[in-house]
């Protein structure tokens, strides 16, 4: 079996025994990228030379015998996290040549451990989308079916993990962008509690919702990455001063007696039949492991998408004001300053980003602010209270991650509302600020992966990881690989 197929935990074990070197592993992953990526298009930038140099450095550290878990492990980073000296594009023309002069907190923690960066992965422009079709550069393909989208916005990271073009990856999730592509690509994706992971160096889309998290081949690797990226960071004022536990400690613990909430609003008309069947079977499986199902209600679910698209666009319109042709390189000349701004933004942003800036500017403008933005904030509180209420009687909430499996390229591009509905099960989690994980739970009749979402209480990633691991250990979905 190729080394590129392995998990972080497996490679760490091999490195420890001296059976392989980081250079072997890195070369294997780079070769895999060469073989696949002209079909999958997961990467915007492959940092080949740097990867081999980092592997070499890691091997010297490994010789000393004592080295951290990520030392020598090839990892891909979504291209909206800043890495000092490496182009960070957000898959946008406006940042096409932006080379950040600083390092995000998450990647600086990886650097301390001696990780190997394989490159930066594709996304929907500024993380706005559910398919990577909004990337200004190209669309990433789903390794399970190259005619289908990998989900989004972290589609590049999810496809890279599913195709074994890296050992693990980081994504970001504002309304589902880690969990939905993880589900559609058959891998594990975790969105931590808001404030659990520092956003320093993450290019802002909607700051009150954005959160960085791991996309991995299995649940153990998810916990391993959580251990490194979690915890307070003085560089991010919204990072919570909460000490992170050892997330791997709960793996293998029993889930007997765990109360799992099944929200009736999440099993709806329009959901794909195969998804419905697989998720119900997964719930039965959890029951057979000792979990106790409890019906719960999240009554404001129906307002989540509307609320999200007011709040996220409002925050985006404000965050994206900084791309003016002056601060970030890309500039389209004009006869005066105002025309230069307008030309730059007209040429630099794609259609979806412009649509959102306009929606958000409208929602924040005087006269409409009370009717839209303020109202949406109030509904957000109601949605959060729904979760608080439900969590009084259950430990986790179980839902499908997405209403369908991967759709065909172009299938939803003409109708933004259809595209927005892809996140119907993930968006409330961001609005409430709670953590959620997506794990593989089956396949459709045409062999496309299906994801199960486990939602936890604030700062209780441990319980969802524990349940996810117990489920994963009793199935082999995560071991199946696309034939590519
Ligand atoms: N698909 C959602 C959107 O388009 C969520 C994206 C995300 O989580 N970054 O906004």
């Amino acid at each position: 079996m190729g080394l590129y197929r392995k998990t972080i935990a497996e490679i760490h074990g091999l490195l420890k025994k001296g059976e392989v070197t980081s250079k072997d592993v890195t070369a294997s992953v780079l070769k895999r990228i060469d073989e696949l990526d002209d079909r999958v298009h997961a990467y915007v930038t492959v940092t080949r030379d740097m990867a081999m140099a980092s592997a070499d450095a890691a091997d010297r550290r490994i010789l000393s015998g004592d080295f951290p878990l990520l030392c020598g492990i090839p990892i891909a980073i979504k291209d909206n996290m800043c890495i000092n000296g490496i182009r960070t594009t957000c898959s946008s023309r406006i940042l096409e040549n932006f080379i950040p002069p600083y390092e995000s907190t998450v990647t600086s923690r990886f650097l301390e451990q001696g990780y190997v960066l394989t490159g930066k992965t594709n996304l929907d422009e500024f993380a706005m989308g559910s398919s990577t079709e909004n990337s200004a550069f190209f669309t990433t393909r789903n390794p399970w079916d190259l005619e289908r989208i990998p989900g989004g916005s972290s589609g590049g990271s999810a496809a890279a993990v599913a195709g074994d073009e890296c050992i693990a990856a980081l994504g970001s999730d504002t309304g589902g962008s880690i969990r939905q592509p993880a589900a559609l690509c058959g891998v594990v994706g975790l969105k931590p509690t808001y404030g659990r992971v520092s956003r320093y160096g993450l290019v802002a889309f909607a700051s009150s919702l954005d959160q960085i998290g791991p996309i991995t081949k299995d649940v153990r690797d998810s916990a391993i990455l959580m251990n490194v990226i979690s915890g307070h960071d003085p560089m991010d004022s919204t990072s919570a001063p909460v000490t992170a536990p050892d997330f791997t400690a709960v793996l293998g613990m029993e889930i007997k007696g765990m109360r799992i909430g099944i929200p009736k609003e999440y099993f709806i008309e329009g959901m794909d039949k195969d998804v419905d069947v697989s998720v119900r079977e997964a719930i039965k499986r959890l029951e057979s492991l000792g979990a106790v199902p409890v019906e719960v209600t999240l009554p404001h679910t129906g307002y989540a998408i509307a609320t999200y698209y007011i709040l996220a666009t409002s925050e985006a319109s404000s965050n994206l004001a900084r791309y003016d042709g002056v601060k970030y390189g890309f500039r389209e000349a004009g006869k005066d300053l105002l025309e230069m701004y307008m030309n730059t933004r007209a040429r630099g942003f794609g259609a979806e980003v412009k649509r959102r800036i306009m929606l958000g500017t409208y929602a924040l403008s005087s006269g409409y602010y009370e009717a839209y933005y303020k109202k949406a904030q109030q509904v957000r509180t109601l949605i959060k209270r729904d979760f608080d209420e439900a969590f009084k009687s259950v430990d986790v909430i179980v839902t499908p991650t997405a209403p369908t499996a991967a759709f065909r390229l172009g299938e939803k591009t003409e109708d933004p509302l259809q595209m927005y509905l892809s996140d119907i099960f993930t968006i409330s989690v961001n609005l409430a600020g709670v953590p959620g994980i997506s794990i593989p739970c089956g396949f459709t009749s045409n062999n496309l992966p299906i994801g199960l979402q486990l939602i936890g209480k604030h700062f209780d990633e441990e319980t969802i990881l524990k349940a996810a691991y117990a489920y994963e250990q009793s199935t082999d979905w995560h071991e199946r690989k696309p034939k590519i």
Side-chain angles (χ1 to χ4, degrees), residues 34-67:
D34 288 341
E35 283 164 8
L36 250 64
D37 214 48
D38 56 349
R39 287 175 288 150
V40 174
H41 305 288
Y43 284 92
V44 174
T45 306
V46 178
T47 48
R48 199 172 299 275
D49 296 343
M50 195 178 143
M52 286 315 287
S54 309
D56 195 42
D59 282 332
R60 273 178 273 125
R61 188 162 166 191
I62 288 164
L63 276 183
S64 74
D66 188 26
F67 57 97

Side-chain angles (χ1 to χ4, degrees), residues 310-333:
I310 290 171
L311 297 178
T313 58
S314 297
E315 294 185 29
S317 76
S318 148
N319 273 326
L320 271 58
R322 71 189 67 167
Y323 305 105
D324 57 3
V326 178
K327 305 186 190 72
Y328 293 91
F330 180 87
R331 172 182 296 187
E332 196 70 33

